Amino acid sequence: MNALARLRPTRLTSTGIVYLVLVLVLVLGAIITAAAGRNFFSAGNISAILTGTSILGFIAIGQTLVILAGSLDLSVPYVASLASLLGGVTMAGQTGNIPLAVVTALGVAALIGLVNGLVVAYLHVHGFIATLGMGLILAGYLGTNYKGSAGSAPRDFRLIGALNIGPVPLSTIIMLGCAVLVILLLRRTRIGHHLYAVGGSKDVARLSGVRTQPPVVLAHVLCSVLAGMAGLLLLARLSVGSPTIGTQGGYDLMSIAAVVLGGTVLAGGKGNILGTLGGVAIFAVMDNVMGVMQLNAFLQDVVRGLVIVVAVAVYARRNADLRPARFERSRAARHTSAPTTAGGAA
């Protein structure tokens, strides 16, 4: 029986499904691009796809941490816009100002995340409402104080958005480095384990002796810092800060969609960064192919929406398929024990 159990095919994990879908999307993308007379695997196109993963990747990694903790962060596009403006205004085209600008932008982003985390963890306001309110505050500040683009990034800083190492953009390498650090945080540290526990069930975590507030606060701080890094990367590409660059990209909903597409449970407690990176890559490939096909923006949104709905439906169906097996075992156990109990009573 043990040998037969070992020979039984293992069930695909959510992450496995994501990367299987990514392979299918790559194959379809190559076919469609070839039909349009373009080479999907050219160095320029691969670099463009990887570049497309960088900004959404930063924000989606942070969003994964927040969702794992059972919360949400809708303020990320405004944090990215604010970081691009603070960085650009502080740099003012001077290379010597780069360190101060980076520290200022990321420090303000961390402070915003700290406020979000404290409100969610200690005032028990749901992350959806708390970060929606923070987003409105930031939108009001940006709209009042910045009427258009501001600041200027020096050439040395713009190289971050333009430099490639082989076919891989430097921004993608930095994003992947952040992903590795977050994976180590989740897998190798106590607070990373507590993050899963709190997201899975806050009451059970508390009864197990876990302090439930610090993981939630940390998740929001890291999410905002990563959104700030995305804002600095946007500054490096555009060379100026913009008050609307984050909202134009729709990074709040797109990051949540990438996380869900990557297999992370929206209620928290289950998921991983590798799945999120797969979800981000799927969106980047789809956007690239739809750009080649010159689909209009509304139709692109329709395609993205269909993919998200199908992915969530597949995960929901998969979880539903798992549940009856456990219940059947419980029911079978009850049926087995019932005659014995009756016999004992007799």
Side-chain angles (χ1 to χ4, degrees):
M1 291 297 289
N2 291 335
L4 289 175
R6 284 195 295 272
L7 291 174
R8 190 179 302 160
T10 56
R11 194 182 184 89
L12 268 178
T13 63
S14 297
T15 306
I17 294 175
V18 172
Y19 281 92
L20 182 61
V21 172
L22 176 59
V23 171
L24 293 176
V25 171
L26 285 170
V27 172
L28 285 175
I31 294 172
I32 294 172
T33 307
R38 300 273 297 276
N39 181 9
F40 181 81
F41 295 104
S42 67
N45 200 47
I46 294 296
S47 178
I49 292 174
L50 292 176
T51 300
T53 65
S54 303
I55 295 175
L56 182 58
F58 276 118
I59 298 177
I61 291 169
Q63 197 72 260
T64 305
L65 287 171
V66 172
I67 291 177
L68 283 175
S71 186
L72 280 175
D73 194 336
L74 299 180
S75 65
V76 284
Y78 306 100
V79 174
S81 298
L82 182 61
S84 75
L85 284 166
L86 290 176
V89 170
T90 308
M91 287 179 196
Q94 302 298 316
T95 302
N97 293 337
I98 291 176
L100 176 62
V102 171
V103 170
T104 301
L106 296 186
V108 171
L111 184 61
I112 293 170
L114 179 64
V115 173
N116 283 337
L118 291 175
V119 171
V120 172
Y122 289 95
L123 298 183
H124 306 293
V125 179
H126 194 279
F128 181 91
I129 300 299
T131 58
L132 178 63
M134 177 60 77
L136 291 174
I137 293 171
L138 294 176
Y141 173 78
L142 292 171
T144 303
N145 294 279
Y146 298 95
K147 301 303 179 186
S149 300
S152 175
R155 180 180 176 278
D156 289 346
F157 190 76
R158 294 201 301 270
L159 287 177
I160 296 175
L163 192 64
N164 281 19
I165 299 178
V168 183
L170 178 60
S171 57
T172 304
I173 294 174
I174 297 173
M175 184 271 289
L176 292 176
C178 291
V180 170
L181 292 176
V182 173
I183 290 171
L184 291 175
L185 170 77
L186 291 174
R187 294 186 177 179
R188 300 296 177 89
T189 66
R190 178 177 296 180
I191 198 163
H193 297 162
H194 289 178
L195 193 68
Y196 279 103
V198 171
S201 174
K202 190 176 291 184
D203 291 335
V204 172
R206 186 175 62 252
L207 292 173
S208 302
V210 174
R211 294 179 61 203
T212 57
Q213 293 90 355
V216 177
V217 175
L218 177 68
H220 276 283
V221 170
L222 292 179
C223 182
S224 285
V225 169
L226 287 165
M229 293 180 71
L232 290 174
L233 179 58
L234 288 167
L235 171 65
R237 287 191 190 166
L238 302 177
S239 77
V240 293
S242 168
T244 59
I245 190 66
T247 50
Q248 286 175 355
Y251 294 120
D252 44 358
L253 299 182
M254 284 299 296
S255 63
I256 294 172
V259 173
V260 173
L261 185 61
T264 296
V265 176
L266 197 55
K270 185 179 180 183
N272 59 69
I273 300 297
L274 287 178
T276 296
L277 293 178
V280 171
I282 289 172
F283 277 127
V285 174
M286 285 172 48
D287 287 346
N288 181 270
V289 174
M290 289 190 290
V292 171
M293 298 297 294
Q294 297 183 341
L295 295 183
N296 67 60
F298 298 110
L299 190 55
Q300 291 186 22
D301 286 339
V302 170
V303 174
R304 293 190 194 101
L306 286 174
V307 170
I308 294 167
V309 170
V310 170
V312 174
V314 168
Y315 293 140
R317 177 61 183 269
R318 192 164 174 270
N319 290 333
D321 288 344
L322 286 173
R323 272 189 226 112
R326 187 167 65 246
F327 293 150
E328 287 297 330
R329 285 198 296 272
S330 303
R331 192 181 303 167
R334 284 199 300 273
H335 286 323
T336 305
S337 61
T340 307
T341 306

